[in-house]
Amino acid sequence: MAPYSDLPTPALVLSLEVLERNLATMATARPGAALRPHVKAHKCTGIARHQVRAGHRSFTCATPLEVVGMARAGVGDDLLLANESVDPRRLAAMAAAERETGVMVTVAVDSNTTVDMAAAAGLRHVLIDVNVGLPRCGCAPDDARSLAERAVAAGLIVRGVMGYEGHLMTVPEADKPGKVEACMSLLVDAFDSLVDVAGEECRIISAGGTGTYHVFGGDDPVMSRINEVQAGSYALMDSSYGAQPLPFEQALYVVGTVISTTAGERSSWAVIDVGLKSLGMDHGNPHIDGASVWFCSDEHTTFSMNDGSLPTIGDRVSVRPAHIDPTIAMHTDIHVVPRWGENVTEVWPVDLRHW
Amino acid sequence: MAPYSDLPTPALVLSLEVLERNLATMATARPGAALRPHVKAHKCTGIARHQVRAGHRSFTCATPLEVVGMARAGVGDDLLLANESVDPRRLAAMAAAERETGVMVTVAVDSNTTVDMAAAAGLRHVLIDVNVGLPRCGCAPDDARSLAERAVAAGLIVRGVMGYEGHLMTVPEADKPGKVEACMSLLVDAFDSLVDVAGEECRIISAGGTGTYHVFGGDDPVMSRINEVQAGSYALMDSSYGAQPLPFEQALYVVGTVISTTAGERSSWAVIDVGLKSLGMDHGNPHIDGASVWFCSDEHTTFSMNDGSLPTIGDRVSVRPAHIDPTIAMHTDIHVVPRWGENVTEVWPVDLRHW
């Protein structure tokens, strides 16, 4: 990767070539509406626009601000908040964005409260969020029908169900299809339990992520019925997903500058200006090619080169974050290069930050 | 803590009463210039103004933006970048802020490059950053004198030395004084090695943090010579420092809203809208009083109450972050209450975010 000598660091740097390759690989596997790309991974309408060009017009969001931001930016025409909100102002803001932009907004609901608040806010479409095994949001599968009845009674259109098997994203590849299918049978059964209540607009069975997108489909009576996958990380990748046998490449690095070096008798190290305030750390330390990362501090990462060499102060170093989603959420901008080693040609704001 | 029923979440909530108590406790131990509060912990001029009212006028910063932001806001009159920068634009921005506001700006240097770049940018004051044992920035103690000579030759005023014993912040209390003194003897010797080069404005020996502020001083020939402590976390605290026997209380929580609950036969849990994008995770999971935190996702924390009760959707829950510095850097605002349980009376922007 080029030195990016004029870039203020720490900086997110994206290769458009790699992004496009990742998007094309996924669009071949899951074209059009078969993928509902998750914008929480990048929080950037600039990237979402490229996902539209790759053929997707329906998107997944994790926060009301992401929904409103996508709608107001005119990116996509079918936005799902795959999360529960009980904030009346934010629910109303999503309803207003739907009315004023014509973009369809759907929210996940998993309780009487979330159904009632969606209806009260003027939202029109919901998915019943079903717990398929990850202890997080989602109703018990047996409760899906009664929630759909309550939603219909409140005037809401139930578009289907969603369930996220997040606990299976990194299980060994050989175990994945069987384990995912066990979760998905709960989701498909929940769908079948409520479809007569919900009517003809009830068609969506939405699930999955970057770690499982490839196990859906085929002739399997359960897996063939998942008609949307909510993958997000595939577009940019990180060291956690990169450790899996997935056909996507790292498209984004956090670029830092060497600010200090120490050549010691027993050990030598270098320090870059990339640290805890520019890296999501929940999946552990980041990765630097050819180097061992010692530790990260608020504004620093200390590392040594595996070949014993010592970088020079001012050198640029590319850091692969362990978890892409919270990393991007710490930055204001993404610096775009056509290919690794070329100059920055565009800056895309991370315009869907916060809530 | 009160429900803060009108607060959009996740939200930082600060008790002014607790903040003032923490500031008073520290100002009693290290009054005035004996403390150089580190703004990297809070990145908020609103909090720094209260530190000025507690008697401190010299501040520590970790990024050029923090220096420039403090100078332009007119908070403090002696700002130290306790970090190395090799970005000519940011160095020049700090020099311009010093010229235009009259606030003294000092930067840490630990190499020929950082000395030369500080001088070239028009900066006037430096501290020699000495490595006292943490493998990060700082020159070898034996190199401090030659760096001071180079700085003086370049027209810079050397105000003294700094060294951060960050690897000792959480060692057992009984071991702390001895271990810190071993580091500080390196720093004091470095100061003594260069003071004749640097002249009469060379007076500062700056070190320490919230975990070690109390071991300096007294009659010890080394420890009595540390005349500035760079503590920051003491103002707000976190669960990491809270586990130590320190006289400071938690002054800031991340407040979330319960968005989903599951009452299962074998286990029950609740989910709040506080997750990896609103919590610094490098020190591990956050803490919720009376509860067990199961795990955090991008926008969620799943937890169960230790007494077996189940929160209600819409309840507000206060989360104690494991590490305060990167947590605050993820948020735009701090919501201030006079005392826990009272309404928000002020909103202070986190105006020193980024670099």
Side-chain angles (χ1 to χ4, degrees), chain A residues 129-353:
Chain A
D129 187 1
V130 179
N131 179 355
V132 296
L134 174 71
R136 209 169 67 186
C137 302
C139 68
D142 288 347
D143 293 336
R145 181 182 170 90
S146 64
L147 277 182
E149 288 171 339
R150 190 178 183 103
V152 170
L156 293 163
I157 295 167
V158 177
R159 297 184 67 200
V161 298
M162 64 161 274
Y164 180 53
E165 73 291 5
H167 54 305
L168 302 180
M169 287 298 132
T170 59
V171 298
E173 207 55 31
D175 301 338
K176 223 178 245 179
K179 290 192 174 197
V180 173
E181 184 176 13
C183 294
M184 292 303 116
S185 69
L186 298 172
L187 188 61
V188 168
D189 288 350
F191 180 89
D192 291 341
S193 78
L194 61 75
V195 66
D196 67 305
V197 174
E200 64 180 16
E201 289 183 77
C202 183
R203 286 189 285 258
I204 293 174
I205 306 181
S206 191
T210 295
T212 60
Y213 83 98
H214 53 296
V215 303
F216 302 106
D219 299 328
D220 182 276
V222 168
M223 300 296 258
S224 62
R225 296 194 51 204
I226 309 305
N227 49 26
E228 288 188 0
V229 169
Q230 299 179 5
S233 299
Y234 79 98
L236 303 176
M237 294 296 283
D238 54 33
S239 68
S240 174
Y241 274 124
Q244 292 197 52
L246 295 167
F248 308 109
E249 298 164 63
Q250 191 70 28
L252 180 141
Y253 288 86
V254 184
V255 172
T257 303
V258 176
I259 58 168
S260 182
T261 63
T262 294
E265 283 174 30
R266 284 176 299 183
S267 64
S268 298
W269 66 84
V271 181
I272 50 174
D273 59 353
V274 175
L276 306 176
K277 290 175 179 171
S278 51
L279 288 167
M281 294 295 294
D282 56 286
H283 281 43
N285 281 343
H287 183 90
I288 299 173
D289 287 342
S292 298
V293 170
W294 293 15
F295 65 95
C296 299
S297 313
D298 278 333
E299 301 290 359
H300 306 111
T301 295
T302 297
F303 68 99
S304 57
M305 298 305 296
N306 295 336
D307 64 2
S309 65
L310 193 62
T312 300
I313 294 171
D315 281 357
R316 301 304 167 110
V317 174
S318 296
V319 179
R320 185 195 307 253
H323 191 187
I324 193 72
D325 311 49
T327 297
I328 289 193
M330 293 172 167
H331 294 261
T332 56
D333 294 294
I334 296 174
H335 304 265
V336 181
V337 298
R339 283 169 209 80
W340 295 132
E342 298 186 357
N343 288 330
V344 174
T345 52
E346 289 182 76
V347 177
W348 294 345
V350 186
D351 51 355
L352 304 175
R353 292 173 89 193

Side-chain angles (χ1 to χ4, degrees), chain B residues 2-208:
Chain B
Y4 308 118
S5 56
D6 200 42
L7 205 59
T9 56
L12 301 180
V13 179
L14 167 76
S15 163
L16 198 54
E17 179 186 47
V18 178
L19 173 71
E20 295 292 6
R21 201 150 57 217
N22 289 344
L23 299 189
T25 299
M26 180 61 95
T28 301
R30 298 205 63 91
L35 188 81
R36 188 183 278 278
H38 210 318
V39 305
K40 83 177 172 73
H42 53 67
K43 283 183 169 284
C44 174
T45 56
I47 292 175
R49 286 182 200 282
H50 282 262
Q51 291 174 312
V52 169
R53 281 178 219 161
H56 314 294
R57 303 195 59 82
S58 48
F59 285 89
T60 312
C61 301
T63 71
L65 187 145
E66 290 170 9
V67 171
V68 172
M70 288 283 286
R72 300 281 179 198
V75 185
D77 50 26
D78 178 348
L79 304 175
L80 166 65
L81 181 72
N83 192 5
E84 279 65 27
S85 175
V86 293
D87 182 327
R89 284 168 296 198
R90 288 174 176 155
L91 290 165
M94 289 188 288
E98 181 177 50
R99 280 195 309 275
E100 293 163 20
T101 66
V103 171
M104 181 184 284
V105 172
T106 304
V107 300
V109 292
D110 70 349
S111 62
N112 289 345
T113 304
T114 47
V115 168
D116 296 350
M117 292 186 77
L123 286 158
R124 297 164 53 225
H125 300 94
V126 297
L127 283 193
I128 307 299
D129 187 2
V130 179
N131 178 356
V132 295
L134 175 72
R136 210 169 67 184
C137 301
C139 68
D142 288 348
D143 293 337
R145 181 183 170 88
S146 65
L147 277 182
E149 289 171 338
R150 190 178 184 104
V152 169
L156 293 163
I157 295 167
V158 178
R159 298 184 67 200
V161 297
M162 64 161 275
Y164 180 53
E165 72 291 5
H167 54 307
L168 302 181
M169 288 298 133
T170 58
V171 298
E173 207 56 29
D175 301 340
K176 224 176 241 180
K179 291 194 174 193
V180 173
E181 184 175 14
C183 294
M184 291 305 114
S185 69
L186 298 172
L187 188 61
V188 168
D189 287 351
F191 180 88
D192 291 342
S193 79
L194 62 74
V195 66
D196 67 305
V197 174
E200 64 180 17
E201 289 184 78
C202 184
R203 286 188 285 258
I204 293 174
I205 306 181
S206 191

Side-chain angles (χ1 to χ4, degrees), chain B residues 123-346:
Chain B
L123 286 158
R124 297 164 53 225
H125 300 94
V126 297
L127 283 193
I128 307 299
D129 187 2
V130 179
N131 178 356
V132 295
L134 175 72
R136 210 169 67 184
C137 301
C139 68
D142 288 348
D143 293 337
R145 181 183 170 88
S146 65
L147 277 182
E149 289 171 338
R150 190 178 184 104
V152 169
L156 293 163
I157 295 167
V158 178
R159 298 184 67 200
V161 297
M162 64 161 275
Y164 180 53
E165 72 291 5
H167 54 307
L168 302 181
M169 288 298 133
T170 58
V171 298
E173 207 56 29
D175 301 340
K176 224 176 241 180
K179 291 194 174 193
V180 173
E181 184 175 14
C183 294
M184 291 305 114
S185 69
L186 298 172
L187 188 61
V188 168
D189 287 351
F191 180 88
D192 291 342
S193 79
L194 62 74
V195 66
D196 67 305
V197 174
E200 64 180 17
E201 289 184 78
C202 184
R203 286 188 285 258
I204 293 174
I205 306 181
S206 191
T210 294
T212 60
Y213 83 97
H214 53 297
V215 302
F216 301 107
D219 299 328
D220 182 277
V222 169
M223 300 296 258
S224 62
R225 296 192 55 202
I226 308 306
N227 49 26
E228 286 188 2
V229 169
Q230 299 179 4
S233 299
Y234 79 98
L236 303 177
M237 295 295 284
D238 54 32
S239 70
S240 175
Y241 274 123
Q244 292 197 52
L246 294 167
F248 308 109
E249 298 164 63
Q250 191 70 28
L252 180 142
Y253 288 85
V254 184
V255 172
T257 302
V258 175
I259 59 169
S260 182
T261 63
T262 293
E265 280 174 35
R266 283 176 302 182
S267 63
S268 298
W269 66 84
V271 181
I272 49 174
D273 59 353
V274 175
L276 307 175
K277 291 174 179 172
S278 50
L279 288 168
M281 294 295 294
D282 57 287
H283 280 44
N285 281 344
H287 183 88
I288 299 173
D289 287 342
S292 299
V293 170
W294 293 16
F295 65 95
C296 299
S297 312
D298 277 333
E299 302 289 359
H300 305 112
T301 295
T302 297
F303 67 99
S304 57
M305 298 305 296
N306 295 337
D307 64 3
S309 64
L310 194 62
T312 299
I313 294 172
D315 281 357
R316 300 304 168 110
V317 174
S318 296
V319 179
R320 185 195 308 252
H323 191 185
I324 193 72
D325 311 48
T327 297
I328 289 193
M330 294 172 167
H331 294 261
T332 56
D333 294 293
I334 296 174
H335 304 265
V336 182
V337 297
R339 283 169 207 80
W340 295 132
E342 298 186 359
N343 287 332
V344 174
T345 51
E346 288 181 76

